[in-house]
Amino acid sequence: KQEVTQIPAALSVPEGENLVLNCSFTDSAIYNLQWFRQDPGKGLTSLLLIQSSQREQTSGRLNASLDKSSGRSTLYIAASQPGDSATYLCAVSADSWGKLQFGAGTQVVVTP
Amino acid sequence: DTEVTQTPKHLVMGMTNKKSLKCEQHMGHRAMYWYKQKAKKPPELMFVYSYEKLSINESVPSRFSPECPNSSLLNLHLHALQPEDSALYLCASSQQGVREETQYFGPGTRLLVL
């Protein structure tokens, strides 16, 4: 059974520092991995999707890497801002139905 | 437009009530999903419709019943719910349900069962 783990569970950084969020999964037979952002009481916003054949994806200040063989992905957020405060979730898709298995998330606070 | 809409935003119901949640997308996506999210927990998949075919998480009780009237609309019918069913219910969609496609989520319906 696929298990997805995110470490740390919570993270607090001063504005301007770079953020590094980690995600690990136990079964490397995945189709893709997605990173999401969730604000309190809200839905999920998709940040990046990395296909199983890719090693990284970039969007603005966000960069996500994927090492499928070791079962790891890392989300980097450069020059953090208070508006980056949210919970960040990673999820893997391991079948053709697109069913997502989520990690528990990392709660990020960026202080001004 | 990458918007998934859900109605209602909030719902309070008694254990004997019947209610429905609605989800709609106009992105031409052919796969739609229902997730349940308890407080401070990650979303858990309940149902998937892909090209009108249904896949079920077998742990979901029968008091939840999905319906997909067409490829743009997804309903979740609720009947005889329990207080532990109180949660945020999220709908998502993706293009054709293929593995490389991003899932787009709606804002959710917050359900309280009394």
Side-chain angles (χ1 to χ4, degrees):
Chain A
K1 178 187 173 186
Q2 177 76 270
E3 291 187 6
V4 183
T5 304
Q6 290 186 247
I7 295 173
L11 185 60
S12 181
V13 298
E15 182 177 4
E17 274 199 12
N18 297 331
L19 285 164
V20 180
L21 308 178
N22 297 300
C23 173
S24 62
F25 46 95
T26 54
D27 187 346
S28 62
I30 64 170
Y31 286 159
N32 62 53
L33 183 146
Q34 274 191 254
W35 283 94
F36 294 91
R37 167 190 173 134
Q38 187 172 32
D39 293 293
K42 305 292 185 182
L44 278 67
T45 300
S46 178
L47 298 174
L48 290 168
L49 179 145
I50 311 177
Q51 298 178 21
S52 60
S53 59
Q54 297 177 317
R55 293 196 62 86
E56 69 176 332
Q57 277 282 5
T58 298
S59 176
R61 294 185 294 114
L62 276 59
N63 174 276
S65 65
L66 175 65
D67 184 342
K68 207 171 71 163
S69 61
S70 66
R72 293 180 183 176
S73 177
T74 302
L75 177 66
Y76 300 90
I77 303 177
S80 62
Q81 304 168 358
D84 294 328
S85 299
T87 295
Y88 292 82
L89 296 144
C90 71
V92 298
S93 174
D95 70 14
S96 59
W97 287 85
K99 298 173 185 176
L100 292 179
Q101 179 76 33
F102 282 86
T106 295
Q107 186 174 9
V108 171
V109 174
V110 181
T111 55
Chain B
D1 183 11
T2 57
E3 187 178 26
V4 176
T5 59
Q6 291 188 242
T7 55
K9 291 184 179 179
H10 303 275
L11 180 62
V12 180
M13 59 185 293
M15 290 188 284
T16 58
N17 293 155
K18 287 184 181 181
K19 297 286 184 182
S20 296
L21 309 184
K22 178 180 173 181
C23 173
E24 198 163 7
Q25 56 86 15
H26 296 287
M27 296 178 276
H29 290 174
R30 299 304 300 268
M32 296 186 76
Y33 311 79
W34 279 117
Y35 290 86
K36 173 183 178 180
Q37 187 178 25
K38 300 283 280 184
K40 299 192 181 299
K41 297 289 186 182
E44 294 181 1
L45 182 68
M46 302 175 72
F47 305 102
V48 180
Y49 271 97
S50 180
Y51 285 91
E52 287 85 51
K53 290 186 178 179
L54 174 63
S55 176
I56 300 172
N57 180 340
E58 294 180 353
S59 66
V60 176
S62 60
R63 54 186 183 266
F64 294 92
S65 174
E67 179 196 17
C68 191
N70 57 61
S71 59
S72 299
L73 190 57
L74 182 66
N75 298 319
L76 185 63
H77 302 298
L78 315 173
H79 174 56
L81 294 194
Q82 302 298 309
E84 62 263 29
D85 297 321
S86 299
L88 181 68
Y89 288 84
L90 294 163
C91 173
S93 71
S94 66
Q95 187 172 359
Q96 300 184 0
V98 298
R99 58 196 188 197
E100 292 86 2
E101 296 299 329
T102 298
Q103 287 192 24
Y104 296 92
F105 280 76
T109 293
R110 186 159 299 280
L111 173 67
L112 177 61
V113 181
L114 300 177

